[in-house]
Coordinates of all heavy atoms in Angstrom, one line a residue:
G1 N 3.9 -0.8 12.4 CA 2.6 -0.2 12.0 C 1.8 -1.0 11.0 O 2.2 -2.0 10.5
P2 N 0.5 -0.5 10.8 CA -0.3 -1.2 9.8 C 0.0 -0.9 8.4 O 0.5 0.2 8.1 CB -1.7 -0.7 10.3 CG -1.5 0.7 10.7 CD -0.1 0.6 11.4
G3 N -0.5 -1.7 7.4 CA -0.3 -1.5 6.0 C -1.4 -2.1 5.2 O -1.9 -3.2 5.6
L4 N -1.9 -1.4 4.2 CA -2.9 -1.9 3.3 C -2.4 -1.9 1.9 O -1.9 -0.8 1.4 CB -4.2 -1.0 3.4 CG -5.3 -1.3 2.4 CD1 -5.9 -2.7 2.7 CD2 -6.4 -0.2 2.6
N5 N -2.6 -3.0 1.1 CA -2.2 -3.0 -0.3 C -3.4 -3.4 -1.1 O -4.2 -4.3 -0.7 CB -1.1 -4.1 -0.5 CG 0.3 -3.6 -0.2 OD1 0.4 -2.5 0.5 ND2 1.3 -4.2 -0.8
L6 N -3.6 -2.8 -2.3 CA -4.6 -3.1 -3.2 C -4.0 -3.6 -4.5 O -3.1 -2.8 -5.0 CB -5.6 -1.9 -3.4 CG -6.3 -1.4 -2.2 CD1 -7.2 -0.2 -2.6 CD2 -7.1 -2.5 -1.5
Y7 N -4.5 -4.7 -5.1 CA -3.9 -5.2 -6.4 C -4.8 -5.2 -7.5 O -6.1 -5.3 -7.3 CB -3.3 -6.6 -6.1 CG -2.4 -6.8 -4.9 CD1 -2.8 -6.9 -3.6 CD2 -1.0 -6.7 -5.2 CE1 -1.9 -7.0 -2.6 CE2 -0.1 -6.9 -4.2 CZ -0.5 -7.0 -2.8 OH 0.4 -7.1 -1.8
D8 N -4.3 -5.2 -8.7 CA -5.1 -5.3 -9.9 C -5.3 -6.8 -10.2 O -4.8 -7.7 -9.5 CB -4.6 -4.6 -11.1 CG -3.2 -5.0 -11.5 OD1 -2.8 -6.1 -11.2 OD2 -2.5 -4.2 -12.2
E9 N -6.0 -7.1 -11.3 CA -6.2 -8.5 -11.7 C -5.0 -9.3 -12.1 O -5.0 -10.5 -12.2 CB -7.3 -8.6 -12.8 CG -6.8 -7.8 -14.0 CD -7.9 -7.8 -15.1 OE1 -9.0 -8.2 -14.8 OE2 -7.6 -7.3 -16.3
N10 N -3.9 -8.6 -12.4 CA -2.6 -9.2 -12.7 C -1.7 -9.4 -11.5 O -0.5 -9.9 -11.7 CB -1.9 -8.4 -13.8 CG -2.7 -8.3 -15.1 OD1 -3.2 -9.3 -15.5 ND2 -2.8 -7.2 -15.6
G11 N -2.2 -9.1 -10.3 CA -1.4 -9.2 -9.1 C -0.4 -8.1 -8.9 O 0.5 -8.2 -8.0
K12 N -0.5 -7.0 -9.6 CA 0.3 -5.8 -9.4 C -0.2 -4.9 -8.3 O -1.4 -4.6 -8.3 CB 0.5 -5.0 -10.7 CG 1.2 -5.8 -11.8 CD 2.6 -6.1 -11.5 CE 3.3 -6.8 -12.7 NZ 4.7 -7.0 -12.5
A13 N 0.6 -4.5 -7.4 CA 0.2 -3.5 -6.4 C -0.1 -2.2 -7.0 O 0.8 -1.6 -7.6 CB 1.3 -3.4 -5.3
R14 N -1.3 -1.7 -6.8 CA -1.7 -0.4 -7.4 C -1.9 0.7 -6.4 O -1.8 1.9 -6.7 CB -3.0 -0.6 -8.2 CG -2.9 -1.6 -9.3 CD -1.8 -1.3 -10.4 NE -2.1 -0.1 -11.1 CZ -2.9 0.0 -12.2 NH1 -3.4 -1.1 -12.7 NH2 -3.2 1.1 -12.8
A15 N -2.1 0.3 -5.1 CA -2.2 1.3 -4.1 C -1.7 0.7 -2.8 O -2.0 -0.4 -2.4 CB -3.7 1.7 -3.9
I16 N -0.9 1.6 -2.1 CA -0.2 1.1 -0.8 C -0.5 2.2 0.2 O -0.2 3.5 -0.1 CB 1.3 0.9 -1.0 CG1 1.5 -0.3 -1.9 CG2 1.9 0.6 0.4 CD1 3.0 -0.6 -2.1
L17 N -1.0 1.9 1.3 CA -1.2 2.8 2.4 C -0.7 2.2 3.7 O -1.1 1.1 4.0 CB -2.7 3.1 2.6 CG -3.1 3.9 3.9 CD1 -2.5 5.3 3.8 CD2 -4.6 4.0 4.0
N18 N 0.2 2.9 4.4 CA 0.8 2.4 5.6 C 1.1 3.5 6.5 O 1.3 4.6 6.2 CB 2.0 1.5 5.3 CG 3.2 2.3 5.0 OD1 3.4 2.7 3.9 ND2 4.1 2.4 6.1
L19 N 1.3 3.1 7.8 CA 1.6 4.0 8.9 C 2.7 3.4 9.7 O 2.6 2.3 10.2 CB 0.4 4.3 9.7 CG 0.6 5.2 10.9 CD1 0.9 6.6 10.5 CD2 -0.7 5.2 11.8
D20 N 3.9 4.2 9.8 CA 5.0 3.8 10.7 C 5.4 4.9 11.6 O 4.7 5.9 11.6 CB 6.1 3.2 9.8 CG 6.6 4.3 8.8 OD1 6.4 5.5 9.0 OD2 7.3 3.9 7.8
K21 N 6.5 4.8 12.2 CA 7.0 5.8 13.1 C 7.2 7.2 12.5 O 7.2 8.2 13.2 CB 8.2 5.4 13.8 CG 9.4 5.1 13.0 CD 10.6 4.6 13.7 CE 11.8 4.4 12.7 NZ 13.0 3.9 13.5
D22 N 7.4 7.2 11.2 CA 7.7 8.4 10.5 C 6.4 9.0 10.0 O 6.5 10.2 9.4 CB 8.6 8.1 9.3 CG 10.0 7.7 9.7 OD1 10.5 8.1 10.7 OD2 10.6 6.8 9.0
G23 N 5.3 8.3 10.2 CA 4.0 8.9 9.7 C 3.3 8.1 8.6 O 3.8 7.1 8.2
P24 N 2.2 8.6 8.1 CA 1.5 7.8 7.1 C 2.1 8.0 5.7 O 2.8 9.0 5.4 CB 0.1 8.5 7.1 CG 0.4 9.9 7.6 CD 1.5 9.8 8.6
M25 N 1.9 7.1 4.8 CA 2.3 7.1 3.5 C 1.3 6.5 2.5 O 0.8 5.4 2.8 CB 3.7 6.3 3.3 CG 4.4 6.5 2.0 SD 3.7 5.6 0.6 CE 4.2 3.9 1.1
L26 N 1.0 7.2 1.4 CA 0.1 6.7 0.4 C 0.8 6.7 -0.9 O 1.4 7.8 -1.3 CB -1.2 7.5 0.4 CG -2.2 7.2 -0.7 CD1 -2.7 5.8 -0.5 CD2 -3.3 8.2 -0.7

């Protein structure tokens, strides 16, 4: 499935959104 990651200026993942067979996750 698809996935979206957003990072801050230090390269840390601050938001993750993805969709797999079990459903969406934020």
Side-chain angles (χ1 to χ4, degrees):
L4 172 66
N5 277 19
L6 302 180
Y7 301 86
D8 61 20
E9 58 185 6
N10 297 316
K12 298 291 185 179
R14 303 298 296 273
I16 296 178
L17 173 64
N18 77 278
L19 176 64
D20 57 24
K21 61 181 180 179
D22 297 324
M25 189 280 293
L26 174 62

